Amino acid sequence: MVTVKHLKEIEMKKYLIYIILITFSAGLFSSCEEDYTSSLNLDADVKIQSFSVAGTEGEIDEANKTVTVTIESGSNIDLSNISPEIVLPAGAVITPAITSSMDFTNPVEFTIVNGDIYCQYTVTVSEKFYFAFLGEPANVSAMTILDDQKAAEWFLKKYPSAEYVSFSQVADGTVDLSKYNAVWYHSDQGTRPCWPDAQMLYGVADNSAIVSKLKTYYENGGNILLTNFAGSLVDELGIVSEAKYAPNNAFGDIEANPDSYNWGDWDLRWYGNPENPIAQGLNYKSDDPTKFIMLPNGVARRNRTNQYNVDDWTDYAVGGSTIEERVAYFETVNNCEVLVSNWNGMEINLVLWDKHDGKGAAIFIGSGTYDWYAENDVENTAGNREKLTSNCIAYLLAKSKE
């Protein structure tokens, strides 16, 4: 029989056990705090103190753990074979190890360990190139032809080291073109009828000071991108041997046709070697991997065109009865390579003149699909206009290093 007395004794025993446990635990933890000493080294330094390539110091961003090294153009540095120099804190070890031949064609991630802590940095090495967008107005904001203005704005935003240069600066020598790895002249001539006024490039092609400076630049190895009506300069600059070998097919409207937004997708066809770097990264059509959309349905268009044509009425008809024969003849007489055409190859829309005899490389893009401004303000979402242009610029920049 359990009495009240027994219950009180049991409760008292439980209470004593609880007190003993609490006391023991307190003593145990007190002992741990007094006797335990960590062997971890958590005070070591893992910050990169300096990182340089060929005498150029990198910019260290501790907040984002990045290092950026920008080499001046003309150094002829090979990004796939770089010997960087790095200064680390005492005791720090870096992985991968720094060697005399490292590939920085893409950013490289390094891990630094010192003591028992580590840190990761992403290192980017690039070469600083100088580009120029050429135009008639004093500056981009003064441009009245919106197609030219949109192209210039895209260019200057995409390439932070790019500059806008007016032809007046070229003519009077205010700007020395020799500093640039490549220059781009885009002209839509939007206020002039396509034939023949727009092809004449009044104020540029008939200005001997401008033509002389551009021609000297090209003949001394400068690289040039000419798009749409700017392509008519190929004979003045000596890129082709005779005036008759300049673009021979111009047409289009000054204002967009009101129904043009509903004319479907307009595409171009890659005609040249598919391994050419200019062909890479374009959004090719799933039903024909040689074609890529330049103007998607919904975008208003004026079809302002300055291009080459090898039809029966042209000087290239003597090359043969087939389009392939005429294109081959075109390449021979113009010492060039045809890279892009229309759907059947009759119209030639992108031509490459590679470097030769000390001259630079030159590229011409001319097509009614190469529009930078849509009058109905619908965004061109195809992406191929920008990609084709940036590929051409990258090609010319690569040529500037040869």
Side-chain angles (χ1 to χ4, degrees):
M1 178 177 179
V2 179
T3 65
V4 173
K5 179 181 179 182
H6 288 148
L7 288 174
K8 287 183 178 181
E9 289 176 353
I10 292 172
E11 291 298 325
M12 182 63 71
K13 288 178 180 178
K14 287 182 178 180
Y15 177 74
L16 290 173
I17 292 172
Y18 177 75
I19 293 297
I20 292 171
L21 288 174
I22 292 296
T23 303
F24 175 77
S25 298
L28 178 62
F29 284 111
S30 175
S31 174
C32 289
E33 289 180 359
E34 292 174 0
D35 299 335
Y36 178 74
T37 301
S38 173
S39 62
L40 295 177
N41 180 3
L42 302 178
D43 297 320
D45 189 358
V46 289
K47 294 181 179 179
I48 292 178
Q49 296 177 355
S50 74
F51 191 102
S52 63
V53 175
T56 299
E57 285 290 334
E59 180 180 339
I60 302 173
D61 182 347
E62 280 298 339
N64 295 303
K65 299 301 178 186
T66 62
V67 179
T68 304
V69 186
T70 305
I71 310 297
E72 281 295 320
S73 174
S75 63
N76 292 319
I77 193 166
D78 180 1
L79 293 180
S80 67
N81 185 22
I82 283 180
S83 178
E85 296 182 1
I86 188 171
V87 176
L88 296 173
V93 177
I94 189 168
T95 305
I98 299 296
T99 69
S100 60
S101 179
M102 303 192 73
D103 187 353
F104 280 89
T105 52
N106 294 303
V108 178
E109 186 174 274
F110 290 94
T111 300
I112 300 169
V113 178
N114 200 356
D116 295 296
I117 60 175
Y118 74 94
C119 185
Q120 291 181 322
Y121 287 84
T122 299
V123 178
T124 302
V125 181
S126 62
E127 186 172 359
K128 184 176 182 179
F129 289 102
Y130 293 93
F131 330 130
F133 187 100
L134 307 179
E136 295 178 57
N139 50 62
V140 175
S141 61
M143 287 181 163
T144 57
I145 299 175
L146 295 179
D147 200 76
D148 298 4
Q149 188 178 61
K150 294 296 183 184
E153 289 173 346
W154 170 84
F155 177 73
L156 296 171
K157 181 178 180 180
K158 181 172 178 62
Y159 301 99
S161 61
E163 299 174 358
Y164 176 82
V165 176
S166 71
F167 280 120
S168 63
Q169 293 174 301
V170 174
D172 64 19
T174 304
V175 173
D176 182 1
L177 291 179
S178 65
K179 69 173 280 190
Y180 298 107
N181 301 88
V183 299
W184 177 19
Y185 176 30
H186 173 75
S187 179
D188 179 71
Q189 298 286 292
T191 59
R192 300 170 183 170
C194 286
W195 178 266
D197 287 353
Q199 284 189 309
M200 298 303 292
L201 294 173
Y202 300 116
V204 179
D206 57 352
N207 186 319
S208 60
I210 295 174
V211 171
S212 175
K213 295 286 177 60
L214 284 174
K215 189 173 183 178
T216 298
Y217 170 75
Y218 170 66
E219 290 179 341
N220 288 337
N223 304 283
I224 300 178
L225 174 62
L226 300 170
T227 52
N228 272 6
F229 291 95
S232 294
L233 276 177
V234 292
D235 57 314
E236 284 88 353
L237 300 184
I239 297 173
V240 297
S241 60
E242 298 181 50
K244 68 177 183 178
Y245 294 137
N248 60 356
N249 191 202
F251 53 87
D253 301 320
I254 293 177
E255 295 181 356
N257 186 301
D259 299 322
S260 62
Y261 73 93
N262 201 29
W263 286 354
D265 296 335
W266 281 10
D267 55 41
L268 292 175
R269 180 167 73 102
W270 185 264
Y271 187 92
N273 181 356
E275 299 302 317
N276 188 295
I278 298 175
Q280 308 311 306
L282 295 171
N283 297 317
Y284 292 97
K285 299 175 72 172
S286 58
D287 60 342
D288 187 342
T290 67
K291 293 181 179 179
F292 51 95
I293 296 171
M294 290 291 287
L295 281 177
N297 190 48
V299 177
R301 55 208 73 180
R302 294 168 297 149
N303 197 22
R304 290 186 63 80
T305 302
N306 188 37
Q307 63 188 11
Y308 283 102
N309 198 305
V310 296
D311 207 344
D312 293 342
W313 51 268
T314 73
D315 290 309
Y316 304 107
V318 298
S321 58
T322 68
I323 292 175
E324 290 73 19
E325 290 173 331
R326 294 178 185 182
V327 171
Y329 175 74
F330 175 95
E331 292 179 319
T332 299
V333 298
N334 287 314
N335 190 27
C336 67
E337 183 179 359
V338 173
L339 298 183
V340 174
S341 72
N342 72 328
W343 66 275
N344 67 357
M346 188 74 74
E347 299 169 355
I348 295 174
N349 304 112
L350 195 155
V351 183
L352 167 65
W353 290 268
D354 235 327
K355 297 182 70 169
H356 64 92
D357 302 324
K359 297 179 179 179
I363 296 175
F364 163 66
I365 304 174
S367 168
T369 68
Y370 192 74
D371 269 349
W372 285 90
Y373 170 69
E375 291 184 26
N376 62 341
D377 200 31
V378 173
E379 183 181 359
N380 184 340
T381 57
N384 288 316
R385 173 191 58 196
E386 294 85 350
K387 186 60 179 175
L388 187 66
T389 306
S390 60
N391 282 358
C392 288
I393 292 171
Y395 186 91
L396 295 176
L397 294 178
K399 289 296 175 179
S400 73
K401 297 183 64 177
E402 293 182 355

